[in-house]
Amino acid sequence: LAGGFNYFRVIVETPTGERREARLSHQHYLQIVAATNFKQRVRKTMEYFHADRLNYAVVGTPNRLEYDQGFFVKNGDGSADVKPIAHLYKTQVYAMARHMLLPGEICNAIPTTDTYSLAQGQDEFYFGLPYGQMDLALWAYEHGADPAALCKALVISAQAAQAVYVDIEAKRRATRYLAAAPIRMPSS
């Protein structure tokens, strides 16, 4: 929310419960991204194996916030034959789950990539705001709302509201390639 430079840290917990953290180097960051993307792609490969075996389609579950902001892995969790909730904000997905009377452990689950051993929500990892606020921020941005209106709605400073808009734009630019079709090379 400060509008500064984003960087990643690694946090480890010792067997005695002590936590230590350090900023990740670019090389280590890329290696972790490669490993986590690999895990997502292996999961999706398993889904397609069973879908092919049973003559099923693979249903993807990205929501509007994740899809818009590029929080998915190309040819991993972003791959599917059908994406029925990609137009819904995360808060709408949870509201639909409650409306459908799904079990509480589903309706109240904290979204996670299920990649790391320590508990961590996707919102703190990638979005910088809790889902409800991030959904509202994306909606406001998409509807041309002035940052001043967003700062009132989220009870954050005008500078923080502007930083949220800048971050939305930056993530869109940086992840645009994820939803793009493969580049077809011209024949000679």
Side-chain angles (χ1 to χ4, degrees), residues 3 11 16 30 38 70 74 89 102 119-120 130 132 135 144 161:
I11 301 172
T16 61
L30 290 177
F38 177 74
K74 189 169 192 152
Y89 291 97
L102 294 180
Q120 173 211 20
D135 279 354

Side-chain angles (χ1 to χ4, degrees), residues 8 29 33 36 71 113 116 120-128:
F8 289 91
Y29 167 74
V33 168
T36 58
F71 189 62
T113 57
Y116 305 104
Q120 173 211 20
Q122 293 172 349
D123 51 350
E124 72 176 302
F125 174 75
Y126 191 77
F127 296 111

Side-chain angles (χ1 to χ4, degrees), residues 37-99:
N37 287 353
F38 177 74
K39 182 176 183 178
Q40 296 295 330
R41 289 182 180 117
V42 168
R43 283 182 184 172
K44 193 54 71 170
T45 299
M46 293 295 293
E47 289 178 28
Y48 270 100
F49 168 79
H50 290 292
D52 290 347
R53 182 177 63 81
L54 299 167
N55 197 31
Y56 287 180
V58 172
V59 179
T61 59
N63 58 67
R64 184 179 195 137
L65 181 60
E66 293 166 346
Y67 199 76
D68 181 270
Q69 293 293 282
F71 189 62
F72 60 91
V73 176
K74 189 169 192 152
N75 299 322
D77 59 339
S79 182
D81 298 312
V82 181
K83 297 178 182 178
I85 62 171
H87 66 290
L88 298 176
Y89 291 97
K90 189 72 147 188
T91 49
Q92 291 175 310
V93 172
Y94 278 104
M96 184 173 64
R98 287 188 299 276
H99 177 76

Side-chain angles (χ1 to χ4, degrees), residues 148-165:
L150 181 63
C151 88
K152 288 180 185 174
L154 298 183
V155 191
I156 58 176
S157 71
Q159 180 184 356
Q162 184 61 43
V164 169
Y165 278 5

